[in-house]
Amino acid sequence: KAGVTQTPRYLIKTRGQQVTLSCSPISGHRSVSWYQQTPGQGLQFLFEYFSETQRNKGNFPGRFSGRQFSNSRSEMNVSTLELGDSALYLCASSLGWGNEQFFGPGTRLTVL
Amino acid sequence: DQQVKQNSPSLSVQEGRISILNCDYTNSMFDYFLWYKKYPAEGPTFLISISSIKDKNEDGRFTVFLNKSAKHLSLHIVPSQPGDSAVYFCAATPNYGGATNKLIFGTGTLLAVQP
């Protein structure tokens, strides 16, 4: 069974640009969550989706948004990039509530 | 406000001995706890979990203990192997079986197992 896949694996952008990251969950998983990992703040929850609906959102500005498609694939978008958005962005999927979450390899975003 | 704390940034253990990683939390609403292992530039790998209705859960070399009154959990690895060297994160969620999968992560402990 294939694991969680994330594309692209690496991205370099400049301040002010926008970026879209993609996540394909494990087959059959309907819940997708996104996390940001930085050296200063650690792993922080961004948002989660279940059946195309955003169920929960972390404390991030509105520049961070996401969506989930009917096949459970998810995308997150960051607009007007700032230097501080440089991070490893991780996607996790699970069957539903109260189940273990499995993480993808992440997308390393560098903002110059 | 760090709701999940791992006060030891690093731990060094000899191969074959026990590794004990600790985690404290402040939110009494947390009722499901997980441990993840992470290598650099990779996503976290799920190790073991425990719900608040239990005080111990075992899976092979890994055992997690939960002390709800102290709001403390620990991960025991016995015996430790060099391949266990990684960063270990504990995580908590406030609603086991409920309507969220949101995980609150600790800051991680770097475990180094010396051959």
Side-chain angles (χ1 to χ4, degrees):
Chain A
K1 202 175 198 180
V4 178
T5 58
Q6 292 186 246
T7 56
R9 292 293 312 277
Y10 302 92
L11 263 179
I12 299 176
K13 293 284 187 178
T14 56
R15 280 181 298 174
Q17 287 187 308
Q18 76 162 22
V19 67
T20 299
L21 312 181
S22 180
C23 170
S24 293
I26 293 171
S27 178
H29 284 194
R30 296 169 63 191
S31 171
V32 173
S33 300
W34 289 88
Y35 294 84
Q36 180 198 64
Q37 186 184 24
T38 59
Q41 299 297 319
L43 276 156
Q44 292 193 294
F45 171 80
L46 278 157
F47 26 64
E48 68 176 322
Y49 289 87
F50 185 84
S51 294
E52 303 178 64
T53 302
Q54 187 179 90
R55 297 292 188 176
N56 211 338
K57 193 175 189 304
N59 295 325
F60 280 83
R63 301 184 297 107
F64 291 81
S65 63
R67 59 178 176 169
Q68 187 180 32
F69 301 96
S70 59
N71 61 358
S72 295
R73 190 177 70 86
S74 177
E75 289 181 348
M76 68 163 281
N77 185 77
V78 188
S79 62
T80 319
L81 283 166
E82 300 177 359
L83 295 178
D85 297 333
S86 294
L88 181 66
Y89 289 89
L90 293 157
C91 164
S93 78
S94 66
L95 281 170
W97 312 126
N99 300 110
E100 291 81 9
Q101 295 185 57
F102 298 89
F103 282 81
T107 295
R108 170 70 63 186
L109 172 64
T110 302
V111 181
L112 302 176
Chain B
D1 177 28
Q2 191 70 31
Q3 298 186 69
V4 179
K5 302 176 186 179
Q6 294 176 257
N7 292 319
S8 298
S10 63
L11 174 68
S12 181
V13 172
Q14 287 295 121
E15 181 179 4
R17 306 294 291 270
I18 184 172
S19 294
I20 300 176
L21 298 108
N22 294 303
C23 180
D24 297 294
Y25 61 97
T26 58
N27 191 336
S28 58
M29 296 300 292
F30 290 154
D31 60 2
Y32 186 50
F33 305 89
L34 307 91
W35 283 94
Y36 285 86
K37 171 182 175 181
K38 188 178 185 301
Y39 297 112
E42 292 184 12
T45 300
F46 170 76
L47 285 173
I48 192 168
S49 62
I50 187 168
S51 75
S52 58
I53 61 173
K54 293 185 173 182
D55 55 17
K56 177 182 174 182
N57 189 26
E58 286 181 84
D59 185 0
R61 296 187 298 115
F62 302 94
T63 303
V64 56
F65 295 91
L66 175 63
N67 182 333
K68 282 187 67 179
S69 60
K71 295 191 179 67
H72 177 84
L73 64 155
S74 61
L75 175 68
H76 292 209
I77 306 174
V78 183
S80 301
Q81 300 171 353
D84 295 330
S85 298
V87 178
Y88 288 77
F89 290 93
C90 70
T93 188
N95 205 356
Y96 177 58
T100 183
N101 281 327
K102 175 182 178 179
L103 294 176
I104 310 297
F105 281 90
T107 49
T109 296
L110 174 61
L111 173 66
V113 180
Q114 310 296 334

